[in-house]
Amino acid sequence: NRFQHLRPDYDLQQDGLNDFLDDARAMGNLDSLSADRKVHVVRKKQNIYLEGDEPIRVYFVKSGRVKTLKSTGSGKELITGSYGPGEFFGYLPLLEHTEHSDSAVATDESELVYIPRDDFSLLLQHNPAVGQQFIRLLAGRVSERETQLLTMAYSSIRRRVADTLLKLHAQAGPDAHIHFTREDLAAMVGTATESLIRTLSEFRADGLVELTPKSIRVLQPDQLRSARW
């Protein structure tokens, strides 16, 4: 009954983070849980943490966008995740008790809320009901990462570009423009920038997307989704 009023979901884009943390703190008597929820402004292209760093907090995106990436031995980058308003990142190393396996960089000027490691650990360890709710908000990223790896291993470049565009289109909303550099999109897909540009040009010729120098708009999401490449 203590946790009965915790809702099954929280609208994180409409101040749901504070709602959730307030509920968790009240139910678990954790007075220190993010008591200072100061918003931290991060400049565009600023590093938030680097691969190999010790994790010290969980991050919540209030505005802007953040990408996570890994570098190969040859210096190429693979984007492992993209996070926008209402999303958490940087939590897996805290759950696994490991160092960060990738780096995080602000794609745009962003506002982040920090949840300290000790508060996060107390929440999970001493309040199972609240911890389960919090993990439920985060867990989708694990299966998404597995899907990304399988797609990169077995799908054609057209399928990989289409799936990436569909994911970004879903995040941006109908008729919205996707604002990513061609280099970032290529790193997200796991291909050379030239190959990405060639595939985008083919999609434009087929009437599937609209291209500008700085943005992409998906015109036919259903056709992108159903095409067999």
Side-chain angles (χ1 to χ4, degrees):
N1 292 335
R2 287 178 66 202
F3 300 98
Q4 187 174 15
H5 85 285
L6 281 177
R7 304 192 303 277
D9 63 325
Y10 290 80
D11 188 348
L12 297 179
Q13 294 184 353
Q14 298 295 328
D15 207 36
L17 173 68
N18 283 338
D19 290 346
F20 173 78
L21 292 178
D22 283 339
D23 288 350
R25 184 167 52 149
M27 291 299 96
N29 194 27
L30 297 179
D31 292 334
S32 66
L33 180 58
S34 296
D36 177 17
R37 292 183 204 141
K38 177 183 176 182
V39 174
H40 299 263
V41 177
V42 181
R43 299 186 308 277
K44 182 177 180 178
K45 296 185 179 180
Q46 180 178 334
N47 290 326
I48 299 164
Y49 58 78
L50 298 176
E51 186 174 347
D53 283 353
E54 179 185 358
I56 59 174
R57 59 177 68 99
V58 174
Y59 302 86
F60 175 81
V61 183
K62 187 172 179 64
S63 68
R65 184 159 289 278
V66 171
K67 65 180 178 181
T68 53
L69 54 92
K70 287 183 69 70
S71 296
T72 66
S74 59
K76 293 184 179 180
E77 291 184 349
L78 170 65
I79 293 182
T80 56
S82 177
Y83 304 86
E87 295 186 292
F88 295 93
F89 68 97
Y91 52 84
L92 278 178
L94 291 177
L95 296 174
E96 297 175 339
H97 304 288
T98 61
E99 298 174 339
H100 282 290
S101 60
D102 51 17
S103 301
V105 182
T107 307
D108 307 308
E109 181 168 308
S110 305
E111 294 180 317
L112 305 179
V113 176
Y114 298 163
I115 301 176
R117 174 177 57 191
D118 291 343
D119 289 347
F120 182 68
S121 297
L122 282 173
L123 181 66
L124 297 182
Q125 294 173 11
H126 300 297
N127 297 273
V130 180
Q132 288 171 17
Q133 174 67 35
F134 199 92
I135 290 172
R136 198 173 298 121
L137 296 174
L138 306 175
R141 285 288 172 174
V142 177
S143 59
E144 184 178 316
R145 182 76 58 86
E146 292 175 349
T147 300
Q148 180 191 23
L149 293 174
L150 287 172
T151 298
M152 290 178 63
Y154 298 109
S155 297
S156 68
I157 184 171
R158 294 190 112 207
R159 181 73 271 155
R160 284 150 51 195
V161 173
D163 287 346
T164 300
L165 291 177
L166 287 169
K167 182 179 75 171
L168 296 175
H169 172 72
Q171 292 175 348
D175 298 323
H177 287 258
I178 298 169
H179 296 277
F180 277 86
T181 67
R182 301 302 193 258
E183 291 77 14
D184 276 354
L185 278 174
M188 197 175 296
V189 171
T191 190
T193 303
E194 295 78 7
S195 299
L196 172 85
I197 292 173
R198 183 171 58 252
T199 304
L200 289 176
S201 297
E202 293 171 356
F203 286 176
R204 177 175 60 184
D206 293 339
L208 301 175
V209 301
E210 175 185 281
L211 302 179
T212 72
K214 294 185 177 181
S215 69
I216 302 169
R217 187 163 70 96
V218 175
L219 301 177
Q220 302 291 339
D222 290 339
Q223 291 186 32
L224 275 178
R225 190 174 295 108
S226 61
R228 295 186 177 182
W229 291 309

